[in-house]
Amino acid sequence: MQSKHQKVQIGIVGGTGYTGVELLRTLANHPFAEVTMITSRSEDGVAVAQMYPNLRGIYDLQFSVPDIEKLKTCDVVFFATPHGVAMSMAPELIAHGVKVIDLAADFRIEDLAVWQEWYGIKPASEALMAEAVYGLPEYYREKIRDAKVIANPGCYPTSILLGVLPLLKAGLVNANSLIVDGKSGVSGAGKGANVAMLGAEMSESFKAYGINGHRHLPEMKEKLSQLIGQQVGLTFVPHLLPMVRGMESTIYATLKTDKSQAELQTLYETAYENEPFVDVMPAGSTPETRMVKGSNMCRMAIYCPPGGNMVVVTSVIDNLVKGAAGQAIQNMNIMFDLPENAGLNQVALLP
Amino acid sequence: MQSKHQKVQIGIVGGTGYTGVELLRTLANHPFAEVTMITSRSEDGVAVAQMYPNLRGIYDLQFSVPDIEKLKTCDVVFFATPHGVAMSMAPELIAHGVKVIDLAADFRIEDLAVWQEWYGIKPASEALMAEAVYGLPEYYREKIRDAKVIANPGCYPTSILLGVLPLLKAGLVNANSLIVDGKSGVSGAGKGANVAMLGAEMSESFKAYGINGHRHLPEMKEKLSQLIGQQVGLTFVPHLLPMVRGMESTIYATLKTDKSQAELQTLYETAYENEPFVDVMPAGSTPETRMVKGSNMCRMAIYCPPGGNMVVVTSVIDNLVKGAAGQAIQNMNIMFDLPENAGLNQVALLP
Amino acid sequence: MQSKHQKVQIGIVGGTGYTGVELLRTLANHPFAEVTMITSRSEDGVAVAQMYPNLRGIYDLQFSVPDIEKLKTCDVVFFATPHGVAMSMAPELIAHGVKVIDLAADFRIEDLAVWQEWYGIKPASEALMAEAVYGLPEYYREKIRDAKVIANPGCYPTSILLGVLPLLKAGLVNANSLIVDGKSGVSGAGKGANVAMLGAEMSESFKAYGINGHRHLPEMKEKLSQLIGQQVGLTFVPHLLPMVRGMESTIYATLKTDKSQAELQTLYETAYENEPFVDVMPAGSTPETRMVKGSNMCRMAIYCPPGGNMVVVTSVIDNLVKGAAGQAIQNMNIMFDLPENAGLNQVALLP
Amino acid sequence: MQSKHQKVQIGIVGGTGYTGVELLRTLANHPFAEVTMITSRSEDGVAVAQMYPNLRGIYDLQFSVPDIEKLKTCDVVFFATPHGVAMSMAPELIAHGVKVIDLAADFRIEDLAVWQEWYGIKPASEALMAEAVYGLPEYYREKIRDAKVIANPGCYPTSILLGVLPLLKAGLVNANSLIVDGKSGVSGAGKGANVAMLGAEMSESFKAYGINGHRHLPEMKEKLSQLIGQQVGLTFVPHLLPMVRGMESTIYATLKTDKSQAELQTLYETAYENEPFVDVMPAGSTPETRMVKGSNMCRMAIYCPPGGNMVVVTSVIDNLVKGAAGQAIQNMNIMFDLPENAGLNQVALLP
């Protein structure tokens, strides 16, 4: 689809959180798209550059109360809202030909019973879900192209699906005993006032959390199972890192047959050779989260520890970019026939 | 005063914050004192070791609703409460011979009009203020010995008064143009849910705050003026450090007459030679906050930058220890004729 | 064994690193032991309090060139040296009845061929190895009591062995497919000038390292195999945390038979009920590294993630205390019939 | 001057440090310039993307041994080298019409005796110094346009000169008693292996350094004195922040006559109204270093603390961008008649 405007007109609903400011930061230099409205009930009338001074001199935009009539004038609306908001406004927008990209979880899980179990509110209707496409371009690009609604993937699922799928799709590993040890920077918890996320609480410390159940687990299991046509068993333990941005997933899988590191390296390099935002690093490399900070890249490496039949993949992303705002823009680019990397050329900030 | 018990019996009112847990940590190894009750309305019945697992295996204590009758059975009650609480409960405790040590600001400023201006609530009565002694042992030790109520100093005032008083008392510097550039770790902001203190907000960043007025400024000006018998002019700019514990104050004063670094070094070494918790470091040393982390020490160094008449003092403390809980215990030790360093022998954690 | 002196006389060889200063910090308040000499060739004559100003006012000691004759006057000598030093000096010390506690790896692996493969230098002689006991008190306490030489365990092995052994000893999990995802603060890399450990390199970033082989892996495999009488298969991926102190190990094991979380909880609580430095936290707890910062505790929790047969254990220690200096002192206390927790009563620094 | 090529051809000498990678990061998206060679003796043949994996997929470039003949084919050569290198190669490059931008200090101080005193090596010749222009565009833009050699300012001087010059040029403050309390992230210390800059040393701690003399002090005093035609007295105390990027300077000056905050606000807003990279924030704002992270902006705020005659300015930059690589590119843009903000449109990374 092409925009009816010179540039794709973007509306952002609920832009006061970290995903919102990150959309604005990234879109500031997008050559073919522009943000024309951004909403927030609580901050109506406040300049975005007042709330986020890194945007001073770049945006004149003010937050406004969400108004569906105005949103209909956009080409695409990003939802950076709590769960439940996107599904309530999407039908009317879609009906008017406006594309919807939801950065929350409203459309991430097709099995509505599972969704309701994990999110505790009424899920989207089946009809609405039928419109939605899971926005992981590396595996759903063709469907994204014509989608009306995009479920932008969770940050952990992005780093983990990209890391494990070449092995699973090739049938090389045991699909029912995957283990993923995930680690996320604190920005993943959002900007809400939360004692556990205070600097005095999370700095200089490290812990696991959500071992008995994280919402990204059913999302991953469903998508993996769909993509390989087989039930997947996955143990997932997320951890909180004492830092702001960045996510690392260490994936452990059991090889069904003997494979050398070189064979697996080739498998991965081939799988992603045309992907602009996946970097399979050379054998022996160590992906570090700072190698992707502020950029839309996912970098990964593949290991075969000696003396066993395990394969280990480590995969890093910036949770706010490839794990959220950057991937949403990548999806938008695909939907509007723009160069997929338009506006996404930021080099990671290192050091 | 001596306790009527084998060990000094301590009550802590409002112990759920960082000052509370730090009192518990430090008192855990105190040979002559023990905590017998700790109160919190909201956490009634919760074990302190559940809220603060570093205390697991050390305290069996539970939080309880504050009960003035029970508090009267203590020898001393520490208030680690919001401003206004200590002054409301102190009269009845004092009347029953219980000592009060307030770690908040209720008794820090004698000028009640100034206090009300900065704290916005009704100050303690003049009668109650007359009972209070400012708990900076290095300058008020004799009064502390017999005090009924201690105003435990603010963290900035502790580091700054200790750093600047030798110069002022010796009349060597201009008292009306002092400048202090202060820096504090985020634990100084307490454990309240506060967006600005989220790890994602304050990590990897640095800023000034409160330039147009910080509550510690009138406290410092009053005490300095009292101690040298002359009005003091002080510009104070506090800053927030991207770390948990530690406070550094860089003090700039203008020498009235020529003095060498060696003369000033001697002045300071002499001033503090008998002080167990003030360390004047050798000329050329650089105090670092980690040199006092977790300990009750204040370390400082004195500089005469070449080519001018300025003297610079840098002074470091742990804001939660010498800047709060440790100093409160030091005051208690003095009040109860215990060795001043009892329970305060922790070595700073470095690295 | 009892010291011939009023207090146990301690010599420290190679005390300029983090393990050295941590020994000094911890021993400062030990009631029954004292450091009488500390050596460093490069820092001969330098006061320890000059190199480590947190020790100012606490130690008068100076570094001196190592002198075996003087070391023989000690009751015990700690080696905080590079690999290879302890084994060269131990025989003469032992011959004179001096106990040796090596905080490096000279005596950690009994299989000398394996040791040489991983450490690249000639291992200790078989005769000398026969004297050595692995200093993990929870599993080797009786042997430690009479040992002449202690191999103080590596930090990762300490956190991992304590975390996994109850499961393995009870025969509940598959011993040949253990997976451990370890994370360590940067102090574990020591005080050497190393670009990769610069603050500008490791702050605000996270990475795996040593996936193809870490020296702690053969140490763990040997000890685990010995303790359960069966070969153990272990995949171990260490990671570097952007913080100074603290180590967390997340252990994944496959249950051979169905066990509930409650059964496993009981297993662990029983296993460690008399251990002063192991804390099995209540079901559902989340061990955080700050809950043990500066203390000799190992805290752990046991999980059975829903929908599978995996058991997950997370275990935290301070890598410099229970992972090094604290455990060495615990070993000394056992060897000299002192209370096992003498000098080790520090409460973790939180926040 | 215009390039003889379609794009300005850039050579970088000594590109392995943080300034080098930051030049590459920023130039990656420059529309009118390209890096054609980058030199390093020690890394000859190594791909820049191997040393700095954030550049993978962006640069094919390899480090090569510096070769003056090849460098002559460039339009401009940036020196990101130790002091002394640029001055040795500049004459031959200039003679061939190649512009030189030195990011080290070779040309920063015109008084050669002062330079030699602080840098300890032979300074550039007077003839060469006569070619050099101090590359602070806000105050030297016209001279930069035609310069052959640019002395790119130090990071502290950039943040401090921009912050204090409006006051000094307007003659409003006492020029001989300025005080600046500066704070820098650890990336300012460069990528050299240096124990004091280890993560285990500088994290979670804060200290002053260089109180008795920092090389940026004579640089600032000379430029300030030149620009206002009067000797300037300045006390400067730099501090090390426990973070990677960012620099804050808190400037204290004494007003000679009464001025309101509003008047000073207007003075600053007027002074910088046409400057693309200086942002005078609204009254009451607090500049934070994260508001400029990764961007070429300098943001500042002006305060008149109540009850005195002091004016306080706080000024923040990213020490590697406006304090180094970004400013160098800004200078290049001016020299080659390019839009001054070409390639410098990165939005600061917040959070």
Side-chain angles (χ1 to χ4, degrees), chain D residues 110-130:
Chain D
E110 288 182 33
D111 185 327
L112 300 185
V114 171
W115 195 92
Q116 181 153 7
E117 178 193 338
W118 286 85
Y119 288 90
I121 56 173
K122 203 172 162 304
S125 70
E126 279 185 37
L128 191 52
M129 272 308 301

Side-chain angles (χ1 to χ4, degrees), chain D residues 10 19 34 41 47-48 62 81 108-109 150 155 173 180 183 234 236 252 258 312 325 338 345:
Chain D
I10 299 171
T19 309
E34 63 185 347
R41 266 178 217 289
V48 296
Q62 297 183 352
T81 42
R108 286 182 187 161
I109 298 178
I150 294 289
C155 45
V173 296
V180 180
K183 300 92 178 176
L234 174 57
F236 171 54
Y252 301 86
D258 241 32
V312 175
L338 303 173
N345 57 356

Side-chain angles (χ1 to χ4, degrees), chain C residues 224-305:
Chain C
L224 288 173
S225 301
Q226 280 177 0
L227 285 163
I228 68 165
Q230 175 187 352
Q231 279 303 307
V232 163
L234 174 57
T235 299
F236 172 53
V237 179
H239 299 75
L240 181 66
L241 285 168
M243 60 188 224
V244 179
R245 276 178 188 248
M247 168 167 282
E248 196 257 13
S249 296
T250 304
I251 300 165
Y252 301 85
T254 310
L255 285 167
K256 291 195 289 196
T257 57
D258 241 31
K259 289 284 164 187
S260 68
Q261 201 283 335
E263 290 171 295
L264 298 176
Q265 184 75 21
T266 300
L267 173 74
Y268 272 75
E269 289 181 356
T270 306
Y272 292 125
E273 65 188 338
N274 296 317
E275 286 301 336
F277 296 114
V278 179
D279 175 27
V280 178
M281 296 183 73
S285 299
T286 308
E288 309 178 22
T289 60
R290 63 183 188 145
M291 292 174 185
V292 297
K293 193 187 298 178
S295 92
N296 197 50
M297 296 298 298
C298 173
R299 301 195 199 273
M300 60 181 65
I302 300 92
Y303 287 86
C304 296

Side-chain angles (χ1 to χ4, degrees), chain D residues 110-343:
Chain D
E110 288 182 33
D111 185 327
L112 300 185
V114 171
W115 195 92
Q116 181 153 7
E117 178 193 338
W118 286 85
Y119 288 90
I121 56 173
K122 203 172 162 304
S125 70
E126 279 185 37
L128 191 52
M129 272 308 301
E131 306 279 13
V133 172
Y134 193 67
L136 188 67
E138 291 77 7
Y139 291 94
Y140 294 87
R141 187 173 281 112
E142 289 316 307
K143 288 189 176 173
I144 292 166
R145 223 177 278 287
D146 301 315
K148 295 178 177 169
V149 177
I150 294 289
N152 210 55
C155 45
Y156 280 120
T158 296
S159 73
I160 294 166
L161 268 58
L162 292 176
V164 77
L165 271 164
L167 286 173
L168 284 175
K169 292 189 71 129
L172 296 181
V173 296
N174 195 333
N176 52 37
S177 64
L178 300 171
I179 290 173
V180 180
D181 195 282
K183 300 92 178 176
S184 172
V186 70
S187 62
K191 206 187 168 184
N194 176 348
V195 167
M197 299 302 155
L198 289 176
E201 296 286 308
M202 55 57 70
S203 296
E204 284 288 305
S205 193
F206 183 74
K207 64 171 178 181
Y209 67 95
I211 307 182
N212 283 331
H214 187 287
R215 286 167 171 179
H216 287 173
L217 180 60
E219 177 183 339
M220 290 189 278
K221 288 176 74 170
E222 180 180 276
K223 299 312 170 196
L224 288 174
S225 300
Q226 280 177 1
L227 285 163
I228 68 164
Q230 176 187 351
Q231 279 304 308
V232 163
L234 174 57
T235 300
F236 171 54
V237 179
H239 300 73
L240 181 67
L241 286 167
M243 61 187 224
V244 179
R245 275 177 187 249
M247 168 166 285
E248 195 257 12
S249 297
T250 304
I251 301 165
Y252 301 86
T254 310
L255 284 167
K256 291 196 288 194
T257 57
D258 241 32
K259 289 284 163 189
S260 68
Q261 201 283 335
E263 289 171 294
L264 298 176
Q265 184 75 20
T266 301
L267 173 75
Y268 272 74
E269 290 181 356
T270 306
Y272 292 124
E273 68 188 336
N274 296 317
E275 286 301 336
F277 296 115
V278 179
D279 176 26
V280 178
M281 297 184 72
S285 299
T286 308
E288 308 177 21
T289 60
R290 63 184 189 144
M291 293 175 183
V292 297
K293 194 187 297 179
S295 93
N296 198 48
M297 295 298 297
C298 173
R299 301 195 200 271
M300 61 182 65
I302 300 91
Y303 287 86
C304 296
N309 60 345
M310 299 294 299
V311 53
V312 175
V313 181
T314 69
S315 158
V316 296
I317 59 171
D318 184 322
N319 53 302
L320 295 179
V321 191
K322 184 64 175 169
Q327 185 146 270
I329 293 164
Q330 187 181 355
N331 281 318
M332 176 192 76
N333 287 344
I334 296 170
M335 294 165 95
F336 287 90
D337 274 337
L338 303 173
E340 193 165 325
N341 65 353

Side-chain angles (χ1 to χ4, degrees), chain A residues 5 22 55 67 87-88 125 129 144 149 179 192 213 222 234 252 258-259 282 311 324:
Chain A
H5 309 94
E22 195 66 1
L55 303 175
D67 174 336
M87 69 173 79
S88 73
S125 69
M129 272 309 300
I144 291 166
V149 178
I179 290 173
E222 180 180 274
L234 173 57
Y252 301 85
D258 241 32
K259 288 286 164 187
V311 54

Side-chain angles (χ1 to χ4, degrees), chain A residues 18 191-192 195 197-201, chain B residues 18 186 192 195 197-201:
Chain A
Y18 295 147
K191 205 188 168 183
V195 167
M197 300 302 156
L198 289 176
E201 295 287 307
Chain B
Y18 295 147
V186 71
V195 168
M197 299 302 155
L198 289 176
E201 295 286 308

Side-chain angles (χ1 to χ4, degrees), chain C residues 22 59 65 76 100 129 135 144 151 171 181 208 223 239-240 252 259 261 270 290 325 341 347:
Chain C
E22 195 66 2
Y59 282 97
V65 171
V76 58
V100 167
M129 272 309 300
I144 291 166
D181 194 283
K223 300 312 169 196
H239 299 75
L240 181 66
Y252 301 85
K259 289 284 164 187
Q261 201 283 335
T270 306
R290 63 183 188 145
N341 65 354
V347 184

Side-chain angles (χ1 to χ4, degrees), chain C residues 158-178:
Chain C
T158 296
S159 73
I160 295 166
L161 269 58
L162 292 176
V164 78
L165 271 164
L167 287 172
L168 284 174
K169 292 190 70 133
L172 297 181
V173 296
N174 194 333
N176 53 35
S177 65
L178 300 172

